[in-house]
Amino acid sequence: MARVVIVGTGIAGLVTAYRASARHDVVLVTKAELAESNTKYAQGGIAAALFPDDSPQSHAADTMRAGAGLCDAAAVDVLCTEGPQRVRELMELGVEFDRVGGELARGHEAAHSARRVIHAGGDATGLEIEIALLRAVKAVAVEVHEHTFMRELVVRQDAAGPRVAGIEAVGPDGAARTIDADIVVIASGGAGQLYSHTTNPVVTTGDGVAAAWRAGAVLADVEFYQFHPTSLAVPGNPLISEAVRGDGAVLLDEHGHRFMFDVHPDGELAPRDVVARGIAAQMARQNGRPVLLDATALGAAYLAERFPGISRVTREHGFDWATQPIPVTPAAHYWMGGIRTDIDGRTSLPGLFAVGEATCTGVHGANRLASNSLLESLVFAWRASDALDTEQLPLPSERRARLTEVTAEPERATSAVSRDAVQRLMWSLVGLERDLTGLREAAERLAGWHVDGEAIEDLEVRNLLDLGRLMVRAAIAREESRGAHDRTDFPETREEFEFSFEWVSPVHAAVPA
Ligand SMILES: Cc1cc2nc3c(=O)[nH]c(=O)nc-3n(C[C@H](O)[C@H](O)[C@H](O)COP(=O)(O)OP(=O)(O)OC[C@H]3O[C@@H](n4cnc5c(N)ncnc54)[C@H](O)[C@@H]3O)c2cc1C
């Protein structure tokens, strides 16, 4: 029996905690209320080849295509072949997916060649999953610490080299303390808060990825951030599902012109990236003001029944989307990059596992196929929970990668920075479209900033700063456009870049190969 500290209570952390509790002494740490996470806000659903007219091979082929040459085929195979059984087990844990006439209701999302996305509570899939998993975890022996912020990983030197031995945390009383562990599992999610428009809640500041980076773990694919085309243009940027456009809603500029047909022959139903960039370009032409999504033709009754969550959110912000177009903007949505893991959640650092959006398992490559992220969290958290007590190096990966050691920048005079300033810089220079001039400017400005203070907000902004710097470096290195990474100065995909950039800080040099 090992003492396992798990950081994060989204789907990845909860699945790991629930399953690991049967064999280990589990401590679960989360920085806000238990349910707060990206998971809670997931709308569309979870993809899995559950139906007789579908197959894991077909799901894998779609996933590989979306990943634009950078997926790890072995990881994708695990995702798609183990996914259906894991989803059935989720149902056994109490998640009630929506049904029509007794059969699972099947949704269709962009770039899936089959209707394989199942959903719960209409557009509340993530919330239903979160509630069921919290219920399951509360019924087993897990020690839970809410409002407890992981600040750093504790790394100790033993005979074999550095080993993660716990976390430094700040508790609800503001006091710092060390929580010892035989194994730490990072399940702390993505970093949408890098950007001024994001569908991710305020807790999503990449803390676990940044701490793992500082401790010497290998990160990969950090330049790839997926932007969702439509979020409501209000603080918090609630997501307006792609399905709304799929059902007939149209995009208008501020003069009422349906501009997407000027960009792509499929108009509003062009690929997600194209729509997101089309909207961003239109917003730039109208001085940053949002474009409009007109769903009025769908009718009040249909909108209320098909999209109850979105109807509620728009109403809460003072819009009646049945009678008026609503303002929308693209928003940072999902991070393909993160802590490099093998198919069992092992990282390059002994004693450290990682699961969920904080990782780069290799299943998404340069772009995520819609509704594959909940599945990735579920499948790989399940596998990690079985692997926690096997002490071995990460399994080799099938994909090509180039590892770079990043040495510390020389000290220079810097000025204090806020979250807002980091977000605005990342949005304007490291967002949907990038070029060398903008990226160099971003690198220069990020290098000139630091964060004073030890409050949680300061620690979060420091994490964003660390990750932003690395992301800019990776975006400069990738002199091509591929998947979600769009370089206007290198618009083509270049074969010589068909590999992943992996990054490690010099701390790692001490870890034996
Ligand atoms: C609006 C929205 C809609 C989405 N829709 C879908 C969808 O339909 N289908 C799909 O597959 N995916 C969807 N996604 C993506 C998906 O929700 C996430 O990728 C997935 O939920 C990630 O799960 P996770 O457990 O890795 O992280 P999260 O669910 O983000 O959980 C991270 C946890 O870590 C905690 N934490 C973070 N930092 C610290 C720290 N320093 N100390 C302690 N705790 C910490 C957080 O509080 C949280 O509990 C959506 C995402 C959003 C935002």
Side-chain angles (χ1 to χ4, degrees):
M1 179 181 269
R3 181 171 159 87
V4 179
V5 171
I6 301 169
V7 182
T9 47
I11 180 172
L14 292 177
V15 166
T16 313
Y18 173 71
R19 297 210 67 246
S21 68
R23 293 197 328 280
H24 300 290
D25 183 6
V26 175
V27 180
L28 190 53
V29 171
T30 198
K31 77 187 202 185
E33 306 80 60
L34 271 176
E36 188 58 354
S37 58
N38 274 9
T39 301
K40 180 179 157 188
Y41 301 94
Q43 293 178 352
I46 183 163
L50 287 157
F51 304 96
D53 60 353
D54 193 8
S55 70
Q57 292 72 24
S58 159
H59 186 188
D62 293 346
T63 302
M64 298 286 288
R65 208 171 305 116
L70 294 196
C71 295
D72 181 327
V76 172
D77 185 54
V78 164
L79 177 85
C80 299
T81 53
E82 296 181 11
Q85 183 54 24
R86 295 293 91 85
V87 171
R88 285 184 206 106
E89 277 147 350
L90 211 48
M91 294 183 213
E92 280 164 25
L93 283 176
V95 181
E96 292 190 16
F97 289 100
D98 296 333
R99 290 176 183 267
V100 180
E103 300 297 318
L104 283 171
R106 304 171 62 169
H108 192 235
E109 288 195 17
H112 283 278
S113 59
R115 295 180 75 84
R116 64 167 71 97
V117 179
I118 59 170
H119 47 84
D123 53 9
T125 309
L127 182 63
E128 296 293 325
I129 292 174
E130 186 72 21
I131 290 170
L133 288 175
L134 280 173
R135 200 169 43 229
V137 166
K138 282 176 183 166
V140 294
V142 170
E143 182 185 322
V144 178
H145 297 263
E146 266 179 295
H147 300 285
T148 300
F149 181 90
M150 181 197 64
R151 194 165 68 174
E152 296 291 0
L153 289 165
V154 174
V155 183
R156 300 219 166 94
Q157 296 286 332
D158 63 22
R163 183 184 173 86
V164 172
I167 65 169
E168 277 177 26
V170 182
D173 56 358
R177 68 188 183 104
T178 300
I179 305 178
D180 294 327
D182 299 311
I183 290 159
V184 173
V185 182
I186 299 285
S188 54
Q193 288 291 317
L194 274 167
Y195 292 99
S196 38
H197 296 293
T198 177
T199 62
N200 295 188
V202 288
V203 292
T204 316
T205 46
D207 305 332
V209 185
W213 168 244
R214 289 188 293 264
V218 173
L219 307 192
D221 290 348
V222 294
E223 66 273 38
F224 296 110
Y225 219 111
Q226 187 179 82
F227 291 80
H228 197 284
T230 50
S231 71
L232 193 61
V234 296
N237 291 104
L239 183 70
I240 308 293
S241 164
E242 206 144 19
V244 178
R245 274 174 291 122
D247 285 356
V250 299
L251 287 162
L252 308 174
D253 69 14
E254 60 184 352
H255 305 295
H257 171 60
R258 199 174 162 188
F259 63 91
M260 268 312 297
F261 280 99
D262 306 339
V263 178
H264 193 279
D266 293 338
E268 288 82 4
L269 298 181
R272 196 181 257 200
D273 292 7
V274 175
V275 179
R277 284 194 281 272
I279 296 174
Q282 182 54 41
M283 283 175 62
R285 282 192 289 274
Q286 36 187 78
N287 278 331
R289 289 185 292 280
V291 301
L292 298 168
L293 181 72
D294 188 349
T296 54
L298 276 62
Y302 182 81
L303 288 174
E305 195 201 320
R306 173 70 180 87
F307 303 111
I310 304 175
S311 296
R312 194 194 63 247
V313 166
T314 47
R315 207 168 36 245
E316 281 167 8
H317 287 278
F319 301 104
D320 175 5
W321 72 328
T323 60
Q324 61 180 144
I326 52 172
V328 293
T329 170
H333 188 51
Y334 182 82
W335 196 15
M336 276 68 76
I339 307 166
R340 184 76 180 101
T341 66
D342 72 3
I343 53 171
D344 291 325
R346 278 184 208 93
T347 73
S348 59
L349 270 185
L352 183 68
F353 281 68
V355 289
E357 190 169 337
T359 68
C360 177
T361 60
V363 300
H364 305 302
N367 215 349
R368 173 194 71 133
L369 186 66
S371 289
N372 263 357
S373 35
L374 289 171
L375 189 70
E376 180 198 36
S377 299
L378 172 64
V379 166
F380 291 94
W382 200 281
R383 291 181 67 94
S385 63
D386 287 338
L388 292 174
D389 36 20
T390 50
E391 191 70 28
Q392 65 174 68
L393 289 170
L395 301 168
S397 158
E398 282 193 8
R399 67 184 190 160
R400 294 169 58 209
R402 182 181 297 171
L403 182 68
T404 304
E405 186 179 302
V406 178
T407 47
E409 295 284 319
E411 284 295 318
R412 53 187 270 188
T414 59
S415 53
V417 71
S418 66
R419 177 185 302 224
D420 183 53
V422 175
Q423 290 177 331
R424 279 189 282 114
L425 174 86
M426 293 296 290
W427 181 258
S428 58
L429 299 178
V430 201
L432 287 99
E433 290 186 335
R434 298 134 181 216
D435 65 22
L436 185 60
T437 312
L439 290 169
R440 279 205 178 128
E441 184 186 334
E444 182 63 18
R445 284 170 60 192
L446 288 168
W449 283 339
H450 77 276
V451 182
D452 285 325
E454 292 298 316
I456 301 291
E457 170 65 11
D458 302 322
L459 300 173
E460 289 177 336
V461 179
R462 198 168 298 145
N463 289 334
L464 293 174
L465 209 47
D466 280 350
L467 297 176
R469 286 176 182 146
L470 186 62
M471 192 184 282
V472 169
R473 189 178 180 123
I476 288 174
R478 188 167 288 285
E479 293 181 331
E480 62 161 356
S481 292
R482 182 186 293 272
H485 173 69
D486 188 8
R487 287 278 300 258
T488 53
D489 47 352
F490 289 102
E492 306 296 330
T493 300
R494 297 169 65 192
E495 213 182 318
E496 64 263 42
F497 280 95
E498 197 168 304
F499 64 86
S500 279
F501 283 109
E502 296 188 341
W503 307 93
V504 66
S505 62
V507 189
H508 183 77
V511 181

